[in-house]
Amino acid sequence: MNQDKPRIDAHVTLAHGNGGRRMRELIDGIFAREFGNPLDTQVDAARLPLDAPGADWLITTDGFTVEPLEFPGGDIGSLAVYGTVNDLAVSGATPRYLSLNMFIEEGLEMAVLERISRSIARACQICGICILAGDTKVVRRGQGGGLYLATTGIGQRRRGIELSIRCIQPGDRLIVSGTVGDHGTAVMLAREQFGLSGNLRSDAMSVAPITEALLECAGLRFMRDPTRGGIATVAHDIASATAATVRLFEDQVPVRNEVRGVCEILGYDPYYLASEGRVVAVLNPKAAESAVVALQRLGFHDARVIGVIESGTPRVILQTRLGGERLLPELEDDPLPRIC
Amino acid sequence: MNQDKPRIDAHVTLAHGNGGRRMRELIDGIFAREFGNPLDTQVDAARLPLDAPGADWLITTDGFTVEPLEFPGGDIGSLAVYGTVNDLAVSGATPRYLSLNMFIEEGLEMAVLERISRSIARACQICGICILAGDTKVVRRGQGGGLYLATTGIGQRRRGIELSIRCIQPGDRLIVSGTVGDHGTAVMLAREQFGLSGNLRSDAMSVAPITEALLECAGLRFMRDPTRGGIATVAHDIASATAATVRLFEDQVPVRNEVRGVCEILGYDPYYLASEGRVVAVLNPKAAESAVVALQRLGFHDARVIGVIESGTPRVILQTRLGGERLLPELEDDPLPRIC
C-alpha cells in the first residue's frame, strides 16, 4: 500500500461530505495533492496575498453545471477555471487567485473526480493562478448532476484601465476573436441523446492572451466572453446598456461548417450558443481593423470585425448574406440547459 | 402594472438561467433589488475595494445544501452568509465582502427565492458586509435540491494576529460559547420525515461579537465554528494537528434539554451535530476562565470551559458525568446529510 496516497473508495458517498474521516481522506487523497501549495486544507480562511499595492483588484464568480462532465476539448473543471479567468481577463485584469466549491452527487466515480481535479490543477497552472480556498458538499443521489462547481476569481488590474459597456458609442465596431458556438455545439454532440457525433471540440481556453493584446489597442471600449446566450446575447446586452442598435454582418461572423451543419440539423442558431474561449470586443471605428490584424498575427486567424453600433432604438439586427435584415430577438427559452 | 418591479413568473424555469430576457428579469426583479448597491449586475468582474493598506486580507469559501431551505431560526440564505462570515471571524478577520453563487432547481417557487434573497440581504446588513459578485445557474427538475448556494468571503485582519491550530499546546483549555447541536437538531426536526416537532430554533448567527471579545484575551491560540461534524470533529481536528489527546468533560458541555431529548429518541449524538452560531476556542490555561467570564458578560450565558489538551496519543476522550472515560471516534458515516 502506498503510504503517500490514502486509500479512497471507488465512488463518492455521503460520508465524504460529513467533515469526518472519509472527507479528510478525500481532501488529502485528491484535493491537497492536486491543488496543494499554497492551498492549506487546515485553515478556515487563507491569506490573500495582495502584493501589488498600485493595482486595482477585481472579483468575479461563476457556477458550472455542464453535462456531460467531460466532453471533447475539456471538462467541467477546466471550464470552471477558464470561465472565471476569462471574466477577469475581459475586465482588463490579470487573474491571480481562485476559490473553488464542489457540490458532488453521491455515487460519482472517484476516478472522474480525480481526473477533473487534475484538469483544474492543470488549467490553474496554464493561467498562472492558484486556489486559495475550497469547500466540498456531497448531496444525495438524485439531488445533483454528478458535479457542480462554483468558482470565485480575484485578479489585479493596472490603474487607469477604463472598460465599460457604458463607454460604447454609435459608430463603434464589434469584433470577435474566433469562431462562435464551438463549445455549445461540442457539448451538445457529447450528449448521446442527439445520436450525432463529430470531431468538434470545445473552444474552452484562457482568453488572457487575446485580452492582453486588445488592451494594447487605443480605442478599446469593452470586452466580453460570449458564453451563455452566445454573441446574440452580448449584442443585446450592448443594445440595452447603450440604448442603440447593434448591427451584425452575417457574412463576417465566423462559424465553423461543422457547427453550422449541426445547428441546421437540430434547429439551433449558433449566434445563441456558448463559446468559452472567445472575446467579443467593442472598439472605436479607427481601432477595430488594426485590432483584428493584431489578433490574427497572434494566431487567431478567424478574428473579424462582425458588427457596428448605430444610433437608433435598442435592438439587434442581423444583416444577412443576401443583403436583407433580420431582427435577432432576445433569448427566450433556454436552448441548451447545463451547457456551461 | 408596477414599472419598478418587472413581472416575474411564479416558478423558476430553465429560461431563468439562459442569459436572456427571463434571466435579466430575475436579476433585476429580485437580486438587484435585494443585493444592489454596490452590486453591479452589468459587469463581468467588480472592483474589490481593499481600503485598509495595513491589514492582512483573508479569503474563505463554503457551499450550502441545507434541507429544508427554510427552518426555524433561519434559511439557506442567512445560513450561507453567517457560515462564511463565521469562517472569517474565527480566523480573526472582520468580514467585508461576499460573492454569491446560486444553483436553482427548475420549479423552485419564486416566492421562496425572493424570501431567501431578502434573508441574505438582511444577514449581510447585520454583518456589515456587501455582495460584490453573483452568478445564477438553473438546473433541470430532479438535478438539484431546490437551491444550493456557494459563497466566498473576504475579510481584513489586523496585522500581528496569530491564530493557528498548530499553536495549541498540552495544558491548553477548550471553551465553547454556547449550547451545541441546536442547528443540526432544529433542521432535523424541520424535516417532516421524523414525525417530531418542537420549539427548537437554529443557532445560526454571526459569531463576530464572540470572536472580537476572544481576540481581546491574551493567550488565545485558535478558534473554530463547530459546523459539520460538531464539536467532536473540531476536537478530532485538534488532536490530529497537535498529535495530542483532547479530553472533553461531559458535565461541562452545554446541551439544551430539548436537543438531548431529540437526540436520544433518534439515536444521534449532539457532539457530532452542527452548530452555526457557536465558537470553540483554545486558550492557555490562565486565560480560559476569564475568557468564559467575558463571554458570559456579553450575554453568552452558556459559555463554558469544556475540555483540556493533554500530552498523549492523538485521540478524543469524553470524561463522563459518572467519572468514566469514553473514546469519541472520528465521524464515519454522515449522520445528517444536507444539514448546512
Side-chain angles (χ1 to χ4, degrees):
Chain A
M1 190 183 149
N2 185 343
Q3 288 292 329
D4 294 333
K5 186 175 171 181
R7 187 172 39 80
I8 295 265
D9 303 289
H11 294 86
V12 177
T13 66
L14 288 172
H16 286 106
N18 69 359
R21 179 179 67 83
R22 281 232 177 77
M23 183 155 176
R24 194 166 41 72
E25 282 177 4
L26 176 65
I27 290 172
D28 292 348
I30 297 187
F31 303 145
R33 206 179 65 231
E34 297 296 341
F35 311 144
N37 192 15
L39 177 68
D40 183 345
T41 59
Q42 289 198 35
V43 296
D44 290 298
R47 241 197 100 222
L48 189 56
L50 303 168
D51 47 12
D56 283 336
W57 290 89
L58 299 191
I59 183 168
T60 188
T61 195
D62 232 331
F64 297 87
T65 62
V66 68
E67 184 195 17
L69 298 178
E70 300 175 294
F71 47 81
D75 56 53
I76 192 171
S78 53
L79 190 66
V81 175
Y82 294 138
T84 304
V85 157
N86 290 350
D87 279 347
L88 291 168
V90 297
S91 304
T94 305
R96 293 287 305 278
Y97 307 116
L98 211 60
S99 74
L100 172 66
N101 277 275
M102 297 196 178
F103 295 90
I104 308 174
E105 186 183 8
E106 178 188 15
L108 179 69
E109 270 182 79
M110 202 62 84
V112 172
L113 185 60
E114 201 160 358
R115 281 200 301 273
I116 290 170
S117 299
R118 200 165 299 142
S119 165
I120 291 172
R122 196 166 41 229
C124 285
Q125 202 179 7
I126 289 170
C127 299
I129 57 169
C130 51
I131 299 174
L132 289 182
D135 187 61
T136 303
K137 290 288 179 295
V138 180
V139 297
R140 269 189 215 283
R141 212 178 287 264
Q143 297 184 339
L147 179 65
Y148 299 146
L149 299 180
T151 42
T152 291
I154 293 173
Q156 70 187 79
R157 186 169 67 180
R158 216 171 53 227
R159 286 264 161 89
I161 291 180
E162 292 281 343
L163 297 175
S164 167
I165 200 166
R166 294 158 189 135
C167 300
I168 297 173
Q169 293 169 18
D172 286 351
R173 302 292 195 273
L174 257 82
I175 72 170
V176 71
S177 67
T179 54
V180 306
D182 297 25
H183 174 77
T185 315
V187 170
M188 196 157 66
L189 285 181
R191 293 185 190 167
E192 289 174 5
Q193 68 198 82
F194 289 104
L196 291 168
S197 70
N199 296 318
L200 199 70
R201 293 166 64 83
S202 164
D203 57 305
M205 65 168 197
S206 164
V207 299
I210 299 167
T211 56
E212 280 163 21
L214 291 173
L215 283 169
E216 299 298 315
C217 302
L220 176 68
R221 314 266 201 215
F222 172 70
M223 301 188 281
R224 180 159 285 171
D225 49 336
T227 59
R228 254 186 307 187
I231 60 162
T233 298
V234 175
H236 268 284
D237 289 343
I238 293 171
S240 162
T242 60
T245 296
V246 177
R247 177 180 299 269
L248 298 177
F249 305 111
E250 191 179 25
D251 61 352
Q252 292 304 310
V253 179
V255 183
R256 277 185 210 283
N257 285 334
E258 195 163 3
V259 169
R260 206 184 298 277
V262 170
C263 283
E264 271 168 19
I265 293 170
L266 297 177
Y268 290 106
D269 182 339
Y271 292 10
Y272 292 86
L273 294 186
S275 301
E276 292 286 342
R278 307 292 183 230
V279 176
V280 172
V282 181
L283 297 102
N284 78 23
K286 288 180 192 157
E289 279 298 346
S290 58
V292 164
V293 170
L295 291 185
Q296 289 177 337
R297 274 206 200 109
L298 275 178
F300 301 101
H301 303 295
D302 295 312
R304 294 283 183 282
V305 176
I306 60 165
V308 62
I309 317 297
E310 300 175 344
S311 347
T313 50
R315 56 191 176 152
V316 179
I317 292 174
L318 181 69
Q319 185 162 315
T320 65
R321 232 169 269 279
L322 301 169
E325 285 189 353
R326 185 157 70 81
L327 268 184
L328 290 186
E330 199 173 1
L331 194 55
E332 283 288 326
D333 294 321
D334 194 349
L336 280 171
R338 295 187 59 190
I339 208 72
C340 58
Chain B
M1 189 182 149
N2 185 342
Q3 288 291 330
D4 294 333
K5 185 174 170 181
R7 185 173 41 80
I8 294 264
D9 304 289
H11 293 85
V12 177
T13 67
L14 287 173
H16 286 105
N18 69 2
R21 178 178 68 82
R22 282 233 175 77
M23 183 156 178
R24 195 165 41 72
E25 281 177 6
L26 176 66
I27 289 172
D28 292 347
I30 297 187
F31 303 145
R33 206 180 66 231
E34 297 296 342
F35 311 144
N37 192 14
L39 177 69
D40 183 346
T41 58
Q42 288 198 34
V43 295
D44 290 298
R47 240 195 102 223
L48 190 55
L50 303 168
D51 48 12
D56 283 336
W57 290 89
L58 299 191
I59 183 169
T60 187
T61 196
D62 232 331
F64 298 87
T65 63
V66 68
E67 182 193 18
L69 299 177
E70 301 175 294
F71 47 82
D75 56 52
I76 191 170
S78 53
L79 189 66
V81 175
Y82 294 138
T84 304
V85 156
N86 290 350
D87 279 346
L88 290 168
V90 296
S91 305
T94 305
R96 294 287 305 277
Y97 307 116
L98 209 61
S99 74
L100 172 66
N101 277 275
M102 296 195 178
F103 295 90
I104 308 175
E105 186 183 7
E106 178 189 16
L108 179 69
E109 269 182 81
M110 202 62 82
V112 172
L113 185 60
E114 202 160 357
R115 281 202 300 275
I116 290 171
S117 299
R118 201 165 299 141
S119 164
I120 290 171
R122 195 168 40 231
C124 284
Q125 203 179 5
I126 289 170
C127 299
I129 57 168
C130 52
I131 299 175
L132 289 182
D135 187 60
T136 303
K137 290 289 180 295
V138 180
V139 297
R140 269 189 213 286
R141 212 180 285 267
Q143 299 184 338
L147 179 65
Y148 299 146
L149 299 180
T151 42
T152 292
I154 293 172
Q156 70 188 79
R157 187 169 67 182
R158 215 171 54 230
R159 286 265 160 88
I161 291 181
E162 292 279 345
L163 297 174
S164 166
I165 199 166
R166 295 161 188 130
C167 299
I168 298 172
Q169 293 168 17
D172 286 350
R173 302 293 195 271
L174 258 82
I175 72 170
V176 71
S177 65
T179 53
V180 306
D182 296 26
H183 173 77
T185 315
V187 170
M188 196 157 66
L189 285 180
R191 293 185 189 167
E192 290 174 2
Q193 67 198 83
F194 289 104
L196 291 169
S197 70
N199 296 318
L200 199 69
R201 294 167 62 84
S202 165
D203 57 304
M205 65 168 197
S206 163
V207 299
I210 299 167
T211 56
E212 280 161 21
L214 290 173
L215 283 169
E216 300 298 314
C217 302
L220 177 68
R221 313 264 201 216
F222 172 71
M223 301 189 282
R224 178 158 286 171
D225 49 335
T227 58
R228 253 185 308 188
I231 59 161
T233 298
V234 175
H236 268 283
D237 290 343
I238 294 171
S240 162
T242 59
T245 297
V246 176
R247 178 181 298 270
L248 298 177
F249 305 111
E250 190 180 26
D251 60 352
Q252 293 304 311
V253 179
V255 182
R256 278 185 208 284
N257 285 334
E258 195 163 3
V259 168
R260 206 185 298 277
V262 170
C263 283
E264 271 168 19
I265 293 170
L266 296 176
Y268 290 107
D269 182 339
Y271 292 9
Y272 292 87
L273 294 185
S275 301
E276 293 285 342
R278 306 293 182 231
V279 176
V280 172
V282 181
L283 297 102
N284 77 26
K286 288 180 195 160
E289 279 298 346
S290 58
V292 163
V293 170
L295 292 184
Q296 290 176 339
R297 274 206 200 110
L298 275 177
F300 301 101
H301 303 293
D302 294 313
R304 292 284 183 283
V305 176
I306 60 165
V308 61
I309 317 296
E310 299 176 343
S311 349
T313 51
R315 57 189 176 154
V316 179
I317 291 174
L318 181 69
Q319 186 164 314
T320 65
R321 237 169 266 279
L322 301 172
E325 286 188 354
R326 184 157 71 79
L327 267 185
L328 289 186
E330 199 173 1
L331 194 56
E332 282 289 325
D333 294 321
D334 194 349
L336 280 172
R338 295 187 58 191
I339 207 71
C340 58

